[in-house]
Amino acid sequence: MSHINVTINGRQYRMACEEGQEVRLLKLAESLESRIQSLRGKFGEIGDARLVVMAALTVCDDLLDTGPRIRQLEEELEALRGVRTAAADRARATQVAVANALNAAADRIERTTQVLNRTIGGGVAIG
């Protein structure tokens, strides 16, 4: 367990966090401090506790808005995965059809070549 000092609303707080999470905790504290300063700029000195509560509410508001947006993006992603799968299936089917058409054409060319060789080469040596 690590401990770091963060500054929120001009006050130092010693916080515990998991090893490796120090930078994240500092960024979280900086984000909260930025919200508090922004609110202080809008409303002036309305009391430290009130500023912190208002900042916490703005964080909760943002978080509440992200849930439906995340669900919408997950649905869009799933739809796009379906479209991609369908496109890949169509591409495979097209490849098979093209390969079959090329094989059929090659077979016809081979048969035509054999017929021509028998007809033209009917005993006459060329060369």
Side-chain angles (χ1 to χ4, degrees):
M1 184 75 47
S2 288
H3 290 85
I4 60 168
N5 292 323
V6 298
T7 302
I8 298 174
N9 199 24
R11 293 194 176 110
Q12 289 275 327
Y13 297 92
R14 183 165 171 79
M15 306 293 292
C17 64
E18 293 180 17
E19 294 291 331
Q21 294 298 310
E22 298 86 358
V23 172
R24 181 169 175 78
L25 183 55
L26 286 170
K27 287 182 180 180
L28 291 170
E30 288 171 5
S31 175
L32 182 58
E33 177 67 12
S34 174
R35 287 175 189 259
I36 291 170
Q37 294 305 322
S38 175
L39 290 169
R40 179 173 279 124
K42 289 179 185 175
F43 300 109
E45 291 298 328
I46 59 171
D48 289 347
R50 192 170 190 173
L51 278 172
V52 171
V53 168
M54 289 174 69
L57 288 172
T58 63
V59 170
C60 289
D61 184 50
D62 288 349
L63 185 58
L64 193 61
D65 289 343
T66 59
R69 180 67 178 138
I70 289 171
R71 279 189 291 284
Q72 177 189 4
L73 291 171
E74 286 173 339
E75 289 170 5
E76 288 176 19
L77 178 61
E78 191 58 36
L80 290 172
R81 284 181 177 150
V83 168
R84 182 187 69 189
T85 300
D89 291 345
R90 282 193 306 275
R92 278 191 290 279
T94 300
Q95 287 174 338
V96 168
V98 167
N100 289 340
L102 288 173
N103 286 334
D107 288 344
R108 283 193 307 273
I109 291 169
E110 182 65 31
R111 284 192 305 273
T112 302
T113 301
Q114 289 172 357
V115 168
L116 287 173
N117 282 340
R118 282 194 304 265
T119 304
I120 296 172
V124 178
I126 301 177

